[in-house]
């Protein structure tokens, strides 16, 4: 058909640039394939810590929680599942050369979150407020910045 334009009206007008439903990567980070191995491992840890502790925004109160808090709603099993994911962060930190003292603090942080989180009632509050993965990430980032 002559005279028929391709693409939708919004594509022709460039609406995709301002559409709030289209996620734009505005981070200053480089693509993963250009990172050295330590930076790549740190980026993976950052993504997992965000997913576990801050990936979901609760509307109205503007507070962020992660899947750690949601999985923690399942008594005991959920907390130990979240501990397994936290263990991966600690494992990666060990592979990045974190000292044993730091790894012990990270483990104690995650283990405390898991044990207190498995207590009915109190555990739910702890799961929503004590963000052990983000704390562990901050400790690791502090170590790595001192290491450089």
């Amino acid at each position: 058909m002559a005279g028929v334009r391709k693409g939708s009206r919004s594509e022709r007008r460039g609406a995709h640039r301002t559409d709030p439903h289209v996620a734009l990567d505005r981070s200053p980070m480089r693509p993963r394939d250009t990172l050295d191995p330590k930076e790549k491992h740190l980026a993976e840890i950052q993504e997992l810590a965000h997913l576990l502790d801050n990936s979901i925004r609760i509307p109205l109160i503007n507070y962020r929680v992660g899947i750690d808090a949601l999985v923690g709603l399942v008594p005991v099993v959920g907390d130990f599942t979240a501990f397994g994911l936290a263990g991966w962060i600690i494992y990666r930190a060990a592979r990045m050369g974190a000292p044993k003292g730091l790894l012990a603090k990270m483990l104690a942080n995650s283990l405390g979150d898991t044990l207190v989180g498995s207590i009915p009632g109190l555990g739910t509050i702890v799961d929503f407020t004590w963000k052990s993965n983000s704390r562990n990430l901050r400790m690791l980032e502090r170590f790595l910045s001192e290491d450089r």
Side-chain angles (χ1 to χ4, degrees):
M1 245 182 182
V4 175
R5 291 183 246 177
K6 292 185 178 181
S8 69
R9 176 185 268 169
S10 63
E11 288 174 344
R12 289 192 308 268
R13 289 184 182 168
H16 61 280
R17 291 185 204 137
T18 59
D19 187 358
H21 302 292
V22 177
L24 299 175
D25 182 19
R26 294 186 175 122
S27 65
M29 296 179 63
R30 297 178 294 182
R32 263 204 190 152
D33 57 340
T34 63
L35 299 174
D36 70 26
K38 251 188 181 177
E39 290 174 325
K40 185 176 179 181
H41 293 313
L42 183 61
E44 290 171 355
I45 291 171
Q46 289 169 334
E47 289 175 9
L48 182 59
H50 175 75
L51 177 69
L52 290 172
D53 289 343
N54 297 309
S55 59
I56 303 164
R57 187 180 64 82
I58 299 174
L60 302 177
I61 62 171
N62 201 25
Y63 186 75
R64 298 190 79 82
V65 297
I67 61 170
D68 183 0
L70 297 180
V71 170
L73 293 173
V74 178
V76 182
V77 175
D79 291 303
F80 285 99
T81 301
F83 179 69
L85 293 170
W88 187 86
I89 292 175
I90 298 167
Y91 167 77
R92 279 297 199 183
R95 301 281 298 171
M96 292 176 69
K100 290 180 182 178
L102 175 61
L103 295 174
K105 287 179 186 176
M106 292 172 75
L107 182 62
N109 192 16
S110 295
L111 194 56
D113 181 24
T114 301
L115 294 177
V116 176
S118 63
I119 298 170
L122 175 65
T124 303
I125 296 167
V126 169
D127 282 337
F128 278 84
T129 57
W130 184 264
K131 299 180 179 194
S132 63
N133 301 296
S134 296
R135 291 171 188 262
N136 289 344
L137 173 63
R138 282 193 304 271
M139 287 190 287
L140 178 62
E141 288 174 333
R142 197 174 310 122
F143 161 74
L144 292 173
S145 68
E146 292 169 359
D147 192 36
R148 291 180 187 183

